[in-house]
Amino acid sequence: MISLLASTSLSLTLAAQAVTQESFTQEWTQKGLSPEYIELALSKANHNPKVIEAITTPWEAKPWYQYKQLFLTEERVQDGVAFWKKHQQTLARAEKEYGVEAQMIVAIIGIETRYGQFTGTYPVLDALYTLGFSYPKRAKFFASELGHYLMLAQEEGWELTDVKGSYAGAMGWGQFISSSYRAYAVDFDGDGKRNLLNNPVDAIGSVANYFKNAKWQHGLTPAYPLVQSPEVTAALKWNGKPITATVAQLKQAGVAAIGDDTMSSAILTLDSSESEKQGFQVTNNFYSITRYNRSPLYAMAAFEFSQLLNDAFKP
């Protein structure tokens, strides 16, 4: 049972995190939107309780051995190979211009939307409205994304209620959130539009551009499986932040680490079964993948999927 004091503290915390429509309007008016446009947008938005339900039960809450079964399938690999062959020249150009391997770009788009087959059914306006004003845990973030969505709709000439995406408001083949769409989407086919909603060429270039900005290093392996799951100090474990430990430090701790002694590396341990764990040596490129999705399960799935694609692809 929560004490009265704890309950009061929790209520105050949630209240502090809450975003009001008045404060939202004031902030985004200062950032360039007209009050009339904001009022119109909010009047068109609907609260959707299914959005709250979805965000509180994410797939990333599952253990690794269950999570990876969603993506590391033969059918998805074959879809990826077909996509790679169809867009081989575009992917090669993206790799050359942005320094991101084709198989990683293909893996991301495959995991996100199965190559455009499943881009989401939630109206983005409703999803961001619901999370921005009714999900105090991350209200500030989603209210910001709502503001960016209103900006984006104006910039791209969208009807606010037409665009659909994930329960978290991610859109298009690569599932970009609004701020990422505005910052990293590129017109990769040169038609004068940045269209990630139904243009795979722009999606390819934009995913590559995102990874370039996340400091992806061409040729650097994101993770190496370890024969044994080592017991190391917290300083050598990956904590979701930029990696500060080195291969030399891992070796000093008794880890059979791979790479030059100065290479940044840390240890990540995932559940490989109900009773066993698998250790990995992760590098800066693993961290780069988590800039796309913070979950280490997602990052590992994307990397392993990219390996399967690379093995299966025959030019």
Side-chain angles (χ1 to χ4, degrees):
M1 182 179 293
I2 301 176
S3 68
L4 178 59
L5 180 61
S7 178
T8 302
S9 176
L10 178 61
S11 298
L12 290 173
T13 299
L14 293 179
Q17 293 175 338
V19 176
T20 66
Q21 294 190 22
E22 291 76 15
S23 65
F24 175 84
T25 300
Q26 181 178 15
E27 176 182 353
W28 285 92
T29 298
Q30 294 173 350
K31 292 181 178 180
L33 294 175
S34 72
E36 294 77 17
Y37 177 64
I38 296 173
E39 182 180 358
L40 175 64
L42 296 181
S43 71
K44 292 184 176 183
N46 296 298
H47 176 84
N48 186 348
K50 292 184 178 179
V51 168
I52 302 296
E53 180 182 349
I55 202 169
T56 54
T57 54
W59 276 104
E60 285 81 1
K62 294 181 178 295
W64 165 242
Y65 65 90
Q66 292 180 353
Y67 178 86
K68 68 179 181 179
Q69 294 175 11
L70 293 170
F71 307 109
L72 306 184
T73 66
E74 182 60 29
E75 184 178 6
R76 197 179 292 260
V77 170
Q78 293 306 313
D79 285 348
V81 169
F83 179 83
W84 193 343
K85 289 183 177 180
K86 182 177 181 180
H87 299 284
Q88 187 171 350
Q89 291 184 340
T90 299
L91 286 157
R93 179 162 63 94
E95 182 168 350
K96 182 178 180 180
E97 291 187 19
Y98 295 105
V100 182
E101 287 83 346
Q103 62 266 27
M104 179 53 63
I105 301 170
V106 176
I108 292 296
I109 296 175
I111 286 177
E112 291 293 346
T113 63
R114 195 73 171 267
Y115 309 104
Q117 295 182 56
F118 306 102
T119 56
T121 59
Y122 295 88
V124 172
L125 179 64
D126 293 352
L128 295 177
Y129 173 84
T130 300
L131 295 171
F133 298 120
S134 303
Y135 187 57
K137 183 178 180 180
R138 299 191 67 193
K140 186 175 180 180
F141 170 79
F142 284 111
S144 176
E145 289 304 316
L146 175 60
H148 279 290
Y149 177 69
L150 301 189
M151 283 280 199
L152 186 60
Q154 277 196 338
E155 293 163 356
E156 303 296 330
W158 295 343
E159 171 56 49
L160 284 167
T161 57
D162 284 353
V163 182
K164 294 184 179 180
S166 74
Y167 62 80
M171 298 167 280
W173 286 57
Q175 292 290 277
F176 277 32
I177 56 175
S178 306
S179 58
S180 294
Y181 199 122
R182 297 185 71 211
Y184 305 117
V186 297
D187 171 20
F188 207 52
D189 66 356
D191 68 352
K193 299 178 181 179
R194 303 185 307 166
N195 180 4
L196 307 191
L197 302 182
N198 46 41
N199 185 330
V201 175
D202 283 0
I204 288 169
S206 299
V207 169
N209 185 43
Y210 191 103
F211 270 81
K212 177 185 178 181
N213 280 275
K215 300 182 179 180
W216 179 269
Q217 300 174 49
H218 192 276
L220 176 63
T221 300
Y224 298 97
L226 300 172
V227 175
Q228 295 180 331
S229 297
E231 293 294 331
V232 294
T233 63
L236 300 182
K237 295 179 181 178
W238 187 67
N239 60 2
K241 299 179 180 179
I243 299 172
T244 57
T246 65
V247 166
Q249 290 175 300
L250 295 183
K251 289 179 178 178
Q252 290 173 0
V255 179
I258 297 171
D260 183 270
D261 281 356
T262 61
M263 185 174 78
S264 298
S265 290
I267 299 300
L268 173 69
T269 303
L270 299 175
D271 293 320
S272 57
S273 69
E274 289 186 8
S275 58
E276 297 180 338
K277 295 183 180 296
Q278 171 69 59
F280 297 90
Q281 173 193 338
V282 298
T283 69
N284 282 335
N285 270 3
F286 187 85
Y287 177 73
S288 293
I289 301 174
T290 65
R291 300 308 82 204
Y292 206 93
N293 182 308
R294 292 184 181 182
S295 168
L297 304 186
Y298 177 96
M300 191 62 69
F303 168 55
E304 292 197 2
F305 185 39
S306 75
Q307 289 183 304
L308 293 175
L309 288 166
N310 199 46
D311 291 341
F313 180 71
K314 300 295 185 293

